[in-house]
Amino acid sequence: MMGERVTVFCGIDWAERHHDIALVDESGELLAKRRISDDAAGYRMLLELLAEHGDSPESPIPVAIETSRGLLVAALRTGSRKVFSINPLAASRYRDRHGVSRKKSDPGDALVLANILRTDMAVHRPLPADSEQAQAIAVLARAQQDAVWNRQQIGNQIRSLLREYYPAALDAFLAKQGGLAREEARVILAKAPTPAEGSRLSLSQLRSALRRAGRVRGVEEEADRLRGVLRAEYARQPAVVENAFGRQLLALLKQFEAACQASDDLAEAVDAHFRAHPDAEILLSFPGLGVQLAARVLAETGDDRNRFADARGLKAYAGSAPITRASGKKHYVGRRMVKNNRLHHAGYLWAFSSLRSSPGAQAHYRHRRDLGDWHAQAQRHLFNRLLGQLFHCLQKRVLFDEERAFAPPSRSSLAAAA
């Protein structure tokens, strides 16, 4: 806003095919309202409407909308405009301030959103000014994470199905790293989707399948092991039922193959984009952070250094910092339920991985367990500390230092505590 006083506020009620616009002044008077289409012509009409009421590159009109994604938001975020993504639940609370009938209308919601900025803009956070590179990493990292979750879901379906009629396949592949997601498992199950077909596989067929799956070493030994497992004695379904299960397995394997391929392709794209980002070296210097996990952390925290005023804001956003509620004589400290779930999930993986690569992290975790924390509590506390260190390193542009990050308390601090 370039230090100038804001006198016009815009609210947009977003919908799939059209959007309702409302502009109000600082006294709450409705200046304009309009409905635009969800296309380039509609976006152009919106920008022209804003320009008519004083919008300029030096003093852009702030906008409130109930979403943070989409082409409309991208069109609004050009330049230095502040765009506020208002939670629909919060907007519904504001709606009750203007009427008790609880009626809802799209133009009325646009007016409510505009008035939210007019009265309470200081308590709402605008969308971060992340670079285009960081936004691209966010798209790819989230897509890769979704692909991994989808792969896991289909893999669990296959595992449950095999338990119904093909336990030999579970014994053959589940003990291996990657389990059913291994390419060897997918190739052999596609070639022998039933126990009868699996027991008929010869050594040459198994060797050929293993090589087709990319195996180079230990082909003979693995083929011998698989033949022994697949020909062992197990309980069997009737032949007709077994064949029906086999058809179902083949259908699931097609989805599984696509999910595994999508996960691998997106992982390569994440790797290429993330390593080119200026923050990559700092993130990868932290224990427990590989490329994929570090990219997920960057995707959710962004590279706008002004997004969080201090480390406490980042910790609250990630849900690692506890929340305190006090009323009268009651005092409650508990975990946060409202948080960035993707960052919170990445945090548990990060904290768990750091235990094996950082003596300081391991000592911190053991200290929290000795104090009585459960495993999840100790991990969350470790994640909370790692986030504080990450905030410091990104702000100061320095790499992670194990000795400074987990330095033992000084004698003066111990004396003060005593």
Side-chain angles (χ1 to χ4, degrees):
M1 303 305 164
M2 304 300 290
E4 297 183 9
R5 183 178 179 181
V6 180
T7 57
V8 179
F9 308 88
C10 176
I12 301 178
D13 183 73
W14 180 90
E16 187 172 334
R17 297 183 179 275
H18 63 265
H19 316 295
D20 284 277
I21 316 297
L23 295 176
V24 300
D25 62 14
E26 56 187 349
S27 65
E29 181 180 353
L30 179 64
L31 300 177
K33 64 177 181 178
R34 190 165 303 176
R35 173 168 289 185
I36 63 171
S37 55
D38 185 41
D39 53 24
Y43 306 155
R44 186 166 54 251
M45 184 182 299
L46 169 60
L47 296 178
E48 290 173 354
L49 179 65
L50 293 175
E52 291 175 8
H53 291 83
D55 183 75
S56 66
E58 296 76 22
S59 181
I61 294 175
V63 176
I65 188 171
E66 290 180 324
T67 183
S68 61
R69 297 182 176 87
L71 292 172
L72 175 60
V73 175
L76 289 168
R77 294 184 69 183
T78 55
S80 59
R81 184 189 316 282
K82 289 187 177 180
V83 179
F84 295 80
S85 177
I86 307 297
N87 189 297
L89 184 61
S92 69
R93 299 293 185 266
Y94 277 95
R95 190 185 304 122
D96 293 341
R97 294 170 58 182
H98 300 278
V100 296
S101 64
R102 294 184 178 272
K103 68 176 182 178
K104 184 181 184 303
S105 68
D106 293 342
D109 285 350
L111 182 60
V112 168
L113 290 168
N115 278 307
I116 288 175
L117 292 188
R118 181 179 66 86
T119 59
D120 296 319
M121 186 167 67
V123 300
H124 290 278
R125 182 181 296 165
L127 294 179
D130 291 332
S131 66
E132 294 180 2
Q133 191 176 5
Q135 294 180 49
I137 292 172
V139 171
L140 292 170
R142 290 167 183 166
Q144 199 275 335
Q145 187 176 36
D146 290 340
V148 170
W149 287 341
N150 185 41
R151 182 186 66 189
Q152 184 64 46
Q153 183 180 30
I154 299 174
N156 290 340
Q157 293 178 22
I158 293 176
R159 180 179 178 178
S160 297
L161 179 64
L162 292 175
R163 194 174 298 279
E164 293 285 332
Y165 82 107
Y166 203 170
L170 296 177
D171 291 342
F173 301 115
L174 277 187
K176 295 286 186 177
Q177 184 178 5
L180 296 174
R182 292 171 63 90
E183 190 168 356
E184 297 172 6
R186 306 199 307 266
V187 169
I188 292 176
L189 286 176
K191 188 175 184 64
T194 64
E197 292 173 296
S199 64
R200 290 196 296 266
L201 289 177
S202 64
L203 278 176
S204 61
Q205 289 176 316
L206 287 169
R207 287 194 293 265
S208 176
L210 290 172
R211 292 192 179 98
R212 190 162 65 252
R215 192 180 186 95
V216 177
R217 298 179 180 178
V219 174
E220 293 289 343
E221 294 81 357
E222 182 65 10
D224 285 337
R225 186 189 72 84
L226 289 173
R227 187 178 69 164
V229 174
L230 295 176
R231 292 188 176 185
E233 184 177 354
Y234 292 90
R236 298 274 293 272
Q237 294 274 7
V240 176
V241 178
E242 191 175 270
N243 290 332
F245 276 123
R247 295 296 297 272
Q248 183 182 359
L249 175 62
L250 290 175
L252 283 174
L253 284 173
K254 291 180 179 179
Q255 302 176 45
F256 199 37
E257 185 69 32
C260 292
Q261 188 63 50
S263 176
D264 293 341
D265 291 345
L266 287 168
E268 292 180 6
V270 168
D271 188 289
H273 281 73
F274 175 74
R275 290 186 184 277
H277 194 278
D279 292 344
E281 185 181 5
I282 296 175
L283 283 161
L284 292 177
S285 70
F286 275 77
L289 280 185
V291 171
Q292 299 301 320
L293 195 54
R296 293 180 189 178
V297 173
L298 176 61
E300 303 309 323
T301 58
D303 57 3
D304 180 6
R305 297 282 80 89
N306 297 318
R307 182 177 186 179
F308 302 102
D310 51 30
R312 290 181 300 175
L314 174 59
K315 294 174 181 179
Y317 178 71
S320 63
I323 187 170
T324 302
R325 294 184 176 91
S327 178
K329 295 182 180 180
K330 295 182 178 179
H331 186 82
Y332 168 79
V333 178
R335 62 190 180 95
R336 292 179 182 268
M337 304 304 294
V338 178
K339 56 187 178 295
N340 184 311
N341 289 321
R342 288 182 183 270
L343 180 56
H344 193 72
H345 178 267
Y348 274 103
L349 298 178
W350 179 11
F352 184 75
S353 300
S354 69
L355 296 178
R356 293 187 297 177
S357 54
S358 169
Q362 177 66 243
H364 182 84
Y365 171 81
R366 294 311 319 171
H367 175 66
R368 297 304 307 183
R369 292 303 304 272
D370 292 340
L371 291 177
D373 284 357
W374 299 340
H375 168 71
Q377 290 175 313
Q379 270 199 301
R380 185 167 65 248
H381 199 280
L382 175 59
F383 174 43
N384 194 57
R385 181 158 182 175
L386 289 171
L387 274 181
Q389 296 162 1
L390 176 64
F391 182 85
H392 168 80
C393 291
L394 289 174
Q395 292 290 339
K396 302 297 183 181
R397 307 304 302 169
V398 296
L399 299 181
F400 174 82
D401 186 338
E402 174 82 16
E403 294 184 0
R404 295 188 62 184
F406 294 102
S410 62
R411 293 182 179 179
S412 58
S413 63
L414 290 175

